[in-house]
Amino acid sequence: MLKHRRIRILVVLLVTWAATAGVERFGGEPSWPSAAGQALLWAVLVAFVWWFAERTQVRRR
């Protein structure tokens, strides 16, 4: 997978934002800008949870 944590978080943010915007748009939102704006909140939440999970993992060597 990707080696750098920042890039992984950015990829999670962008993929989640695109997927959620598509779901919001085809789920009933009247326009793409409105759907993208609502999806951004969810994408940030998912990326934060991903970041927190990576940050709190116990590393064993």
Side-chain angles (χ1 to χ4, degrees):
M1 181 102 188
L2 297 170
K3 187 175 181 178
H4 300 286
R5 179 181 298 150
R6 289 180 184 164
I7 294 174
R8 281 194 308 262
I9 299 299
L10 182 63
V11 168
V12 167
L13 178 71
L14 292 175
V15 168
T16 304
W17 186 34
T20 310
V23 169
E24 289 279 342
R25 173 63 179 104
F26 294 112
E29 275 303 311
S31 66
W32 276 108
S34 177
Q38 290 182 7
L40 185 59
L41 174 66
W42 288 107
V44 168
L45 179 67
V46 169
F48 174 75
V49 169
W50 187 283
W51 171 83
F52 185 77
E54 278 193 352
R55 191 81 172 148
T56 58
Q57 286 180 354
V58 175
R59 306 251 187 235
R60 294 185 183 140
R61 291 184 184 239

